[in-house]
PDB file of all heavy atoms in Angstrom:
ATOM      1  N   MET A 452      14.504 -43.004 -26.634  1.00 80.00           N
ATOM      2  CA  MET A 452      15.792 -42.737 -26.038  1.00 80.00           C
ATOM      3  C   MET A 452      15.774 -41.524 -25.139  1.00 80.00           C
ATOM      4  O   MET A 452      15.086 -40.588 -25.469  1.00 80.00           O
ATOM      5  CB  MET A 452      16.831 -42.562 -27.124  1.00 80.00           C
ATOM      6  CG  MET A 452      18.236 -42.849 -26.669  1.00 80.00           C
ATOM      7  SD  MET A 452      19.385 -42.658 -28.058  1.00 80.00           S
ATOM      8  CE  MET A 452      20.162 -41.179 -27.636  1.00 80.00           C
ATOM      9  N   GLU A 475      25.480 -39.132   2.235  1.00 95.00           N
ATOM     10  CA  GLU A 475      26.529 -38.216   1.697  1.00 95.00           C
ATOM     11  C   GLU A 475      27.403 -38.886   0.614  1.00 95.00           C
ATOM     12  O   GLU A 475      27.676 -38.219  -0.407  1.00 95.00           O
ATOM     13  CB  GLU A 475      27.426 -37.754   2.846  1.00 95.00           C
ATOM     14  CG  GLU A 475      28.335 -36.622   2.434  1.00 95.00           C
ATOM     15  CD  GLU A 475      29.184 -36.123   3.598  1.00 95.00           C
ATOM     16  OE1 GLU A 475      28.895 -36.372   4.746  1.00 95.00           O
ATOM     17  OE2 GLU A 475      30.153 -35.410   3.286  1.00 95.00           O
ATOM     18  N   GLU A 483      29.059 -35.788  -8.862  1.00 98.00           N
ATOM     19  CA  GLU A 483      30.137 -35.841  -9.832  1.00 98.00           C
ATOM     20  C   GLU A 483      29.603 -36.352 -11.156  1.00 98.00           C
ATOM     21  O   GLU A 483      30.009 -35.807 -12.219  1.00 98.00           O
ATOM     22  CB  GLU A 483      31.277 -36.739  -9.330  1.00 98.00           C
ATOM     23  CG  GLU A 483      32.090 -36.076  -8.196  1.00 98.00           C
ATOM     24  CD  GLU A 483      32.576 -34.658  -8.515  1.00 98.00           C
ATOM     25  OE1 GLU A 483      33.049 -34.413  -9.649  1.00 98.00           O
ATOM     26  OE2 GLU A 483      32.504 -33.817  -7.608  1.00 98.00           O
ATOM     27  N   ILE A 497      18.574 -28.470 -25.453  1.00 98.00           N
ATOM     28  CA  ILE A 497      17.323 -27.943 -24.817  1.00 98.00           C
ATOM     29  C   ILE A 497      16.470 -27.199 -25.839  1.00 98.00           C
ATOM     30  O   ILE A 497      15.561 -26.526 -25.444  1.00 98.00           O
ATOM     31  CB  ILE A 497      17.675 -27.005 -23.639  1.00 98.00           C
ATOM     32  CG1 ILE A 497      18.611 -25.866 -24.075  1.00 98.00           C
ATOM     33  CG2 ILE A 497      18.288 -27.816 -22.512  1.00 98.00           C
ATOM     34  CD1 ILE A 497      18.853 -24.801 -23.050  1.00 98.00           C
ATOM     35  N   GLU A 576      36.697  -9.587  10.751  1.00 67.00           N
ATOM     36  CA  GLU A 576      35.815  -9.231  11.833  1.00 67.00           C
ATOM     37  C   GLU A 576      36.269  -7.870  12.432  1.00 67.00           C
ATOM     38  O   GLU A 576      35.488  -7.032  12.731  1.00 67.00           O
ATOM     39  CB  GLU A 576      35.731 -10.331  12.921  1.00 67.00           C
ATOM     40  CG  GLU A 576      35.006 -11.557  12.496  1.00 67.00           C
ATOM     41  CD  GLU A 576      33.509 -11.290  12.260  1.00 67.00           C
ATOM     42  OE1 GLU A 576      32.953 -10.486  12.989  1.00 67.00           O
ATOM     43  OE2 GLU A 576      32.975 -11.900  11.290  1.00 67.00           O
ATOM     44  N   PRO A 598      39.353 -14.986  -7.485  1.00 93.00           N
ATOM     45  CA  PRO A 598      39.797 -14.390  -8.769  1.00 93.00           C
ATOM     46  C   PRO A 598      38.637 -14.432  -9.792  1.00 93.00           C
ATOM     47  O   PRO A 598      37.898 -15.390  -9.821  1.00 93.00           O
ATOM     48  CB  PRO A 598      40.898 -15.314  -9.169  1.00 93.00           C
ATOM     49  CG  PRO A 598      41.401 -15.947  -7.945  1.00 93.00           C
ATOM     50  CD  PRO A 598      40.206 -16.100  -7.084  1.00 93.00           C
ATOM     51  N   MET A 618      28.166 -16.546  -3.635  1.00 97.00           N
ATOM     52  CA  MET A 618      27.624 -15.261  -4.144  1.00 97.00           C
ATOM     53  C   MET A 618      28.442 -14.948  -5.413  1.00 97.00           C
ATOM     54  O   MET A 618      29.642 -15.172  -5.455  1.00 97.00           O
ATOM     55  CB  MET A 618      27.870 -14.145  -3.100  1.00 97.00           C
ATOM     56  CG  MET A 618      27.173 -14.403  -1.812  1.00 97.00           C
ATOM     57  SD  MET A 618      27.579 -13.270  -0.512  1.00 97.00           S
ATOM     58  CE  MET A 618      29.155 -13.933   0.006  1.00 97.00           C
ATOM     59  N   HIS A 619      27.744 -14.413  -6.447  1.00 98.00           N
ATOM     60  CA  HIS A 619      28.492 -14.021  -7.649  1.00 98.00           C
ATOM     61  C   HIS A 619      27.758 -13.008  -8.457  1.00 98.00           C
ATOM     62  O   HIS A 619      26.573 -12.771  -8.335  1.00 98.00           O
ATOM     63  CB  HIS A 619      28.747 -15.290  -8.504  1.00 98.00           C
ATOM     64  CG  HIS A 619      27.624 -16.069  -8.896  1.00 98.00           C
ATOM     65  ND1 HIS A 619      27.643 -17.404  -9.181  1.00 98.00           N
ATOM     66  CD2 HIS A 619      26.349 -15.768  -9.105  1.00 98.00           C
ATOM     67  CE1 HIS A 619      26.464 -17.888  -9.500  1.00 98.00           C
ATOM     68  NE2 HIS A 619      25.634 -16.904  -9.422  1.00 98.00           N
ATOM     69  N   SER A 623      27.862 -10.714 -19.306  1.00 97.00           N
ATOM     70  CA  SER A 623      28.159 -11.238 -20.675  1.00 97.00           C
ATOM     71  C   SER A 623      29.348 -10.509 -21.273  1.00 97.00           C
ATOM     72  O   SER A 623      29.536  -9.264 -20.989  1.00 97.00           O
ATOM     73  CB  SER A 623      26.913 -11.090 -21.571  1.00 97.00           C
ATOM     74  OG  SER A 623      26.546  -9.748 -21.672  1.00 97.00           O
ATOM     75  N   LYS A 642       9.020 -25.553   1.195  1.00 90.00           N
ATOM     76  CA  LYS A 642       7.921 -26.278   1.962  1.00 90.00           C
ATOM     77  C   LYS A 642       8.502 -27.255   2.939  1.00 90.00           C
ATOM     78  O   LYS A 642       7.848 -27.560   3.952  1.00 90.00           O
ATOM     79  CB  LYS A 642       6.967 -26.939   0.940  1.00 90.00           C
ATOM     80  CG  LYS A 642       6.207 -25.945   0.157  1.00 90.00           C
ATOM     81  CD  LYS A 642       5.248 -26.651  -0.798  1.00 90.00           C
ATOM     82  CE  LYS A 642       4.565 -25.613  -1.698  1.00 90.00           C
ATOM     83  NZ  LYS A 642       4.212 -26.157  -3.056  1.00 90.00           N
ATOM     84  N   VAL A 661      44.998  -9.533   1.781  1.00 55.00           N
ATOM     85  CA  VAL A 661      45.510 -10.096   3.011  1.00 55.00           C
ATOM     86  C   VAL A 661      46.698 -10.981   2.645  1.00 55.00           C
ATOM     87  O   VAL A 661      46.549 -11.920   1.865  1.00 55.00           O
ATOM     88  CB  VAL A 661      44.443 -10.971   3.714  1.00 55.00           C
ATOM     89  CG1 VAL A 661      44.967 -11.610   4.956  1.00 55.00           C
ATOM     90  CG2 VAL A 661      43.233 -10.054   4.030  1.00 55.00           C
ATOM     91  N   SER A 665      46.926 -16.351  -0.818  1.00 49.00           N
ATOM     92  CA  SER A 665      47.695 -16.127  -2.031  1.00 49.00           C
ATOM     93  C   SER A 665      46.975 -15.374  -3.104  1.00 49.00           C
ATOM     94  O   SER A 665      47.431 -14.356  -3.628  1.00 49.00           O
ATOM     95  CB  SER A 665      48.173 -17.460  -2.570  1.00 49.00           C
ATOM     96  OG  SER A 665      47.134 -18.297  -2.723  1.00 49.00           O
ATOM     97  N   PRO A 676      18.971  -3.210  -2.316  1.00 94.00           N
ATOM     98  CA  PRO A 676      17.755  -3.632  -2.993  1.00 94.00           C
ATOM     99  C   PRO A 676      18.124  -4.156  -4.360  1.00 94.00           C
ATOM    100  O   PRO A 676      19.201  -3.837  -4.879  1.00 94.00           O
ATOM    101  CB  PRO A 676      16.961  -2.352  -3.103  1.00 94.00           C
ATOM    102  CG  PRO A 676      17.581  -1.337  -2.158  1.00 94.00           C
ATOM    103  CD  PRO A 676      19.031  -1.746  -2.018  1.00 94.00           C
ATOM    104  N   ASP A 684      12.804 -10.970 -18.440  1.00 96.00           N
ATOM    105  CA  ASP A 684      11.476 -11.468 -19.035  1.00 96.00           C
ATOM    106  C   ASP A 684      11.638 -13.001 -19.082  1.00 96.00           C
ATOM    107  O   ASP A 684      12.623 -13.554 -18.633  1.00 96.00           O
ATOM    108  CB  ASP A 684      11.220 -10.854 -20.378  1.00 96.00           C
ATOM    109  CG  ASP A 684      12.271 -11.169 -21.432  1.00 96.00           C
ATOM    110  OD1 ASP A 684      13.183 -11.956 -21.177  1.00 96.00           O
ATOM    111  OD2 ASP A 684      12.255 -10.545 -22.525  1.00 96.00           O
ATOM    112  N   GLU A 687       9.574 -19.476 -22.974  1.00 98.00           N
ATOM    113  CA  GLU A 687       9.034 -20.801 -22.723  1.00 98.00           C
ATOM    114  C   GLU A 687      10.028 -21.883 -23.066  1.00 98.00           C
ATOM    115  O   GLU A 687      10.727 -21.751 -24.117  1.00 98.00           O
ATOM    116  CB  GLU A 687       7.750 -21.013 -23.519  1.00 98.00           C
ATOM    117  CG  GLU A 687       7.033 -22.267 -23.133  1.00 98.00           C
ATOM    118  CD  GLU A 687       5.771 -22.509 -23.982  1.00 98.00           C
ATOM    119  OE1 GLU A 687       5.403 -21.563 -24.790  1.00 98.00           O
ATOM    120  OE2 GLU A 687       5.192 -23.539 -23.875  1.00 98.00           O
TER     121      GLU A 687
END
Side-chain angles (χ1 to χ4, degrees):
M452 203 178 107
E475 190 176 347
E483 289 306 318
I497 56 172
E576 289 295 323
M618 300 171 280
H619 56 208
S623 60
K642 290 180 185 152
V661 177
S665 55
D684 61 8
E687 190 184 350

